[in-house]
Amino acid sequence: MKKMQGIFNFLEKYLMGPMGKIATFKIVRAIMGAGMASVPFTIVGSMFLVFGNIPTTFPSTQAFFDNTVFRVYDLFMLGYKTTMGMLAIYFAIVIAYEYAKIYEQEEKVKFSPLNAGLLSMFAFFLCVPQLTWADGKISLVHEVSDTATIIHGWAMGGDSVARFGTIGVFAAIIMAVVAVEIYRFCIVKNLTIKMPDSVPEGVSRAFAALIPAFMVAFVVMIINGIFIVLGTDIFGVIAIPFSFVINMTNSWLGIMVIYFLVHALWIVGIHGANIVMAFVNPILLINMQENINGANIAFAGEFTNAWVTIGGSGGTLGLTLFIAFFARSEQLKLLGRASVVPGLFNINEPIIFGLPIVYNPYLAIPFFLSPMVTASLGYFATSLGFVKKMIAQVPWTSPGGVGAFIGTGGDVNAFFLGLICVVVSLLIYLPFIIMYDRKLAKEELGEVAA
């Protein structure tokens, strides 16, 4: 127990402190807000994609779909193409909006979050067209071939303008920060056009963004112009570090590090998923789009809730069911029965703080171990082809097995692997929870005897 307390102290000092500070950064909170705001669109878009793939999973429905849905398929798939196919635009707007709102509320900077979102979108659009430097002149790229379709600088993908999709998410994040900081600089330095109070608010807000819009245009064009002369552009420069990050997180070892950090923070009382996954979720969305385009990346879409955190962080659904029906301790039994329904939908704060798991030396080891084992199962099962890759975003509250089934486009093997992950997680928790249950049961008997 002393060794475990030493581990808690180590995590609290070297992990809780730095990560807690990171969680307070304005841009981190803005990215978290953007991730939450994008959820309805990614889920809606994914459901259109999944519905269109039903005949692949259930061939008996092919004739019905041929005579109904597939007759209006191009119209039907707009639900997907205008969500996942344009995800970077949503990120550009919402991150800037959330970032500006935080500045407005905490530093009393008097600017409009709506203007910030529009300026961010403007900055992002300035980066999208592809240009080249040749013979002392910058020109729009125009190429139509078997390998590329670039119309006057705008590269077309299968769903929309290529850079509007997940490939543009990181550029959108950077441009959101640039636009808001320029806007903030203009406000602080009074570089805005102020209209009389009698002018309608909408008109006043529009003119207030005029000078910031000019500055955003000049700054972004100058930066991008320099990169173009050097043979690249903002997208190309951003791709260098972020492609490294993506490759690292897509490795088995990288995934283990991610889930270790998430649960190390939880064990000392910080919502690890909110902090770590704020950075990881854009990568999961990018990887899911790559899977749709033909790749086979395990760490994509709702990988976490499909295999790793069934029942909530730590993968506690099996644990919750066990204490609800088999615990000797009345305390655990009541807690388990109250937590079964939330646990089925991956909500387990009652377990984490009520059992508790936080700072609990009896349950810390399985809380770390279970997610790493089930993440490994999901990773290798997908990589080796035992289950299909993730191609659809599903609500994180989808019950165990169901989210995996829908997320993979209807793979029955994925459904059963989800259930296997629940059983494996329970087996990992079992010796520890039995020991902890006996301890609490003895204490309860002692209290009764007293």
Side-chain angles (χ1 to χ4, degrees):
M1 293 301 173
K2 289 183 178 180
K3 287 184 178 180
M4 188 61 68
Q5 187 59 47
I7 293 173
F8 289 147
N9 293 337
F10 177 85
L11 293 175
E12 190 170 352
K13 181 177 180 181
Y14 294 104
L15 189 63
M16 179 179 176
M19 295 301 287
K21 290 179 181 178
I22 290 174
T24 65
F25 291 170
K26 294 180 179 66
I27 186 57
V28 173
R29 289 147 59 197
I31 293 173
M32 290 168 59
M36 292 300 296
S38 70
V39 166
F41 300 101
T42 57
I43 291 175
V44 168
S46 295
M47 290 305 100
F48 278 96
L49 181 66
V50 169
F51 190 72
N53 278 291
I54 286 177
T56 304
T57 307
F58 303 104
S60 60
T61 63
Q62 184 69 50
F64 171 78
F65 272 74
D66 286 340
N67 292 313
T68 54
V69 175
F70 291 161
R71 288 182 178 271
V72 292
Y73 189 70
D74 286 347
L75 173 64
F76 174 80
M77 284 303 291
L78 288 178
Y80 168 75
K81 293 183 178 183
T82 55
T83 50
M84 289 299 299
M86 297 185 175
L87 192 63
I89 297 176
Y90 294 96
F91 266 77
I93 297 171
V94 179
I95 288 177
Y97 180 91
E98 294 288 341
Y99 195 30
K101 191 168 67 174
I102 291 169
Y103 267 128
E104 185 183 39
Q105 292 174 348
E106 297 181 4
E107 297 190 11
K108 307 305 178 185
V109 179
K110 295 181 179 180
F111 56 7
S112 165
L114 176 60
N115 276 349
L118 293 174
L119 289 170
S120 171
M121 186 170 63
F122 176 45
F124 174 68
F125 285 161
L126 286 168
C127 303
V128 172
Q130 297 182 36
L131 299 103
T132 185
W133 169 260
D135 301 324
K137 180 182 178 182
I138 291 179
S139 305
L140 289 167
V141 175
H142 186 83
E143 178 185 350
V144 179
S145 65
D146 293 337
T147 57
T149 303
I150 306 175
I151 309 297
H152 301 301
W154 300 84
M156 306 305 296
D159 302 318
S160 65
V161 175
R163 288 181 166 183
F164 284 176
T166 52
I167 192 175
V169 166
F170 291 124
I173 293 172
I174 300 299
M175 288 300 104
V177 175
V178 169
V180 171
E181 291 298 342
I182 291 174
Y183 187 21
R184 175 173 169 268
F185 174 83
C186 291
I187 295 295
V188 172
K189 300 298 181 180
N190 291 316
L191 299 175
T192 58
I193 298 174
K194 295 182 179 179
M195 304 297 286
D197 294 338
S198 58
V199 174
E201 182 182 353
V203 176
S204 178
R205 184 169 58 232
F207 275 90
L210 188 58
I211 293 176
F214 271 114
M215 292 193 65
V216 166
F218 284 126
V219 170
V220 175
M221 284 192 289
I222 289 170
I223 294 172
N224 211 24
I226 293 171
F227 289 141
I228 291 165
V229 171
L230 295 174
T232 183
D233 61 10
I234 289 176
F235 271 77
V237 173
I238 291 174
I240 296 171
F242 281 109
S243 61
F244 169 76
V245 172
I246 290 173
N247 291 333
M248 183 178 70
T249 55
N250 288 344
S251 68
W252 174 79
L253 182 60
I255 292 171
M256 293 299 100
V257 171
I258 288 169
Y259 291 116
F260 173 82
L261 289 174
V262 169
H263 292 85
L265 287 168
W266 261 126
I267 208 70
V268 290
I270 294 179
H271 199 308
N274 276 354
I275 298 173
V276 178
M277 300 311 288
F279 298 98
V280 175
N281 283 334
I283 296 173
L284 290 168
L285 291 173
I286 291 169
N287 290 346
M288 186 175 74
Q289 185 62 49
E290 290 296 313
N291 283 345
I292 294 167
N293 294 336
N296 186 46
I297 303 173
F299 193 57
E302 279 300 328
F303 179 93
T304 300
N305 293 309
W307 321 120
V308 186
T309 59
I310 301 175
S313 293
T316 58
L317 180 59
L319 169 67
T320 302
L321 293 171
F322 176 81
I323 63 173
F325 299 106
F326 299 104
R328 295 181 181 180
S329 164
E330 288 299 320
Q331 172 187 332
L332 292 187
K333 191 176 295 184
L334 290 172
L335 176 66
R337 290 176 180 176
S339 303
V340 166
V341 174
L344 289 173
F345 297 98
N346 303 324
I347 299 168
N348 72 339
E349 277 79 1
I351 291 293
I352 287 178
F353 295 105
L355 200 57
I357 290 176
V358 173
Y359 288 108
N360 189 333
Y362 288 91
L363 299 175
I365 292 174
F367 188 71
F368 280 113
L369 189 59
S370 169
M372 293 185 175
V373 172
T374 52
S376 299
L377 286 174
Y379 176 82
F380 289 111
T382 306
S383 299
L384 298 174
F386 293 117
V387 299
K388 292 182 179 178
K389 58 198 178 185
M390 288 285 173
I391 61 167
Q393 191 80 350
V394 295
W396 63 269
T397 52
S398 301
V402 175
F405 177 77
I406 298 174
T408 54
D411 183 12
V412 176
N413 289 342
F415 173 79
F416 286 113
L417 179 61
L419 299 184
I420 289 170
C421 286
V422 174
V423 174
V424 169
S425 180
L426 171 60
L427 293 175
I428 292 170
Y429 275 104
L430 208 54
F432 299 92
I433 191 60
I434 287 175
M435 181 170 56
Y436 185 54
D437 179 40
R438 287 174 178 171
K439 173 182 176 295
L440 293 181
K442 287 180 179 179
E443 289 178 356
E444 289 172 359
L445 289 174
E447 290 171 2
V448 170

